[in-house]
Amino acid sequence: MKTMKTKHLFSIILFGVLSTGVAQEEPSNLFWVHEDVVKPAMVSSYETVCKELTANLKKHNIPGFNVIVSNTADHRYLWVSPINSMADINYDAFNTLSEKMGGDAMNALFDKMNKSYDVEHDYVIQMDEELSYMPGGITQTPEGQNYRKFHYFHYTPGNEKALREKSAAIKKLFESKGSKVHYRTYKSGFGARGAFYMVAIAAKDAVDYASKIAENNELLGQEWQKTWMDFQSELLQYEIIEGQMRPDMAYSSSD
């Protein structure tokens, strides 16, 4: 976000993404992700500015949007907002916050943030409920479970059908065994770097995650090993990224 005057795309995401889809009976499950790749030495400064920004959002009760935030072990910060379509993106909430804070104050805040990173990405992902496994109901923020493991399964477009079928087989196995490891599956969309499915698994902390996985492997037994190997045969690349949710930076409008 370079300055308020440039209306950088991050401004659109953070301040201009309407969240009407949250209130609809049939949400689109589309999410706009803004990713800041923060310099290691600037993490503390970046987080200070972000918390100040969130405090101003709450102070002025800016209506019309929601954003959740996570950061990864390699210092990437992901700002995730629900959208129905690209038409949901506008500047109304951004302008409202500017009016409440004052343009100079907002510019000063953005100027501080600019020094924290040189690289950023913007893209769309879509939650795939058919391939997600959360028997108690789908939520992105299970209470008391802010630790995350993000599993990125990269594939070539020609393999998507086969990969989807094998993803469904994994879910079926989890369901049949009553697995306690719940997960949400997202598919890459517009602006994403390559084709991938991303599976997010929540836990209390790293120890809790490791315990859940160990118990799950034992529960699923040999059938899991076969199903997992069969799934991996379709992959182009597999990444596991450790992260955590940041409720101290998130914002949810009250309207």
Side-chain angles (χ1 to χ4, degrees):
M1 177 171 15
K2 300 311 176 189
T3 66
M4 190 182 74
K5 293 180 181 179
T6 61
K7 292 185 177 178
H8 189 273
L9 194 52
F10 177 74
S11 303
I12 304 175
I13 295 161
L14 185 56
F15 302 114
V17 176
L18 300 182
S19 57
T20 53
V22 175
Q24 292 186 346
E25 292 181 4
E26 296 182 359
S28 66
N29 286 333
L30 288 174
F31 298 89
W32 194 290
V33 182
H34 176 82
E35 181 179 315
D36 288 330
V37 184
V38 178
K39 302 172 186 176
M42 299 297 292
V43 165
S44 178
S45 175
Y46 177 84
E47 291 196 357
T48 297
V49 175
C50 291
K51 291 174 185 178
E52 185 177 347
L53 182 58
T54 300
N56 275 285
L57 294 172
K58 294 178 179 178
K59 175 183 177 181
H60 299 295
N61 193 26
I62 304 302
F65 64 92
N66 292 289
V67 63
I68 59 175
V69 183
S70 63
N71 71 283
T72 63
D74 55 352
H75 309 306
R76 290 185 291 117
Y77 288 74
L78 285 66
W79 300 76
V80 183
S81 294
I83 57 174
N84 284 324
S85 70
M86 293 302 227
D88 285 339
I89 301 173
N90 64 36
Y91 298 109
D92 289 346
F94 174 83
N95 291 333
T96 300
L97 182 60
S98 177
E99 292 170 2
K100 297 290 186 180
M101 283 184 63
D104 289 342
M106 182 174 284
N107 276 333
L109 199 62
F110 290 171
D111 287 342
K112 292 179 184 177
M113 186 178 289
N114 292 341
K115 299 175 183 177
S116 300
Y117 60 90
D118 295 321
V119 179
E120 56 195 344
H121 307 285
D122 298 284
Y123 52 93
V124 173
I125 58 175
Q126 181 169 23
M127 183 188 294
D128 191 323
E129 293 193 15
E130 289 186 0
L131 296 182
S132 297
Y133 173 68
M134 295 196 79
I138 293 180
T139 174
Q140 291 180 291
T141 54
E143 186 175 357
Q145 300 184 64
N146 286 333
Y147 181 83
R148 291 289 184 277
K149 277 292 182 69
F150 300 112
H151 298 254
Y152 287 84
F153 303 107
H154 300 268
Y155 62 91
T156 57
N159 280 4
E160 182 176 3
K161 182 178 179 180
L163 187 65
R164 187 172 183 84
E165 290 174 351
K166 294 178 181 183
S167 297
I170 290 176
K171 179 179 178 179
K172 183 177 180 180
L173 177 59
F174 275 53
E175 289 175 330
S176 68
K177 299 290 187 177
S179 172
K180 297 298 189 294
V181 173
H182 300 168
Y183 59 84
R184 292 160 306 289
T185 300
Y186 301 83
K187 181 183 176 181
S188 58
F190 178 79
R193 302 181 297 283
F196 61 81
Y197 281 101
M198 188 273 282
V199 170
I201 302 177
K204 295 177 182 178
D205 52 35
V207 173
D208 181 46
Y209 176 86
S211 176
K212 284 182 177 180
I213 295 300
E215 291 175 4
N216 194 60
N217 289 343
E218 183 175 353
L219 173 69
L220 303 184
Q222 291 299 315
E223 190 174 355
W224 164 242
Q225 296 301 322
K226 180 181 182 302
T227 304
W228 174 239
M229 292 300 294
D230 195 35
F231 171 81
Q232 287 193 97
S233 69
E234 302 294 340
L235 298 181
L236 182 65
Q237 182 184 0
Y238 174 35
E239 296 178 276
I240 304 177
I241 299 176
E242 183 180 34
Q244 61 180 335
M245 299 305 296
R246 298 301 302 266
D248 54 340
M249 297 183 191
Y251 178 77
S252 179
S253 63
S254 58
D255 64 337

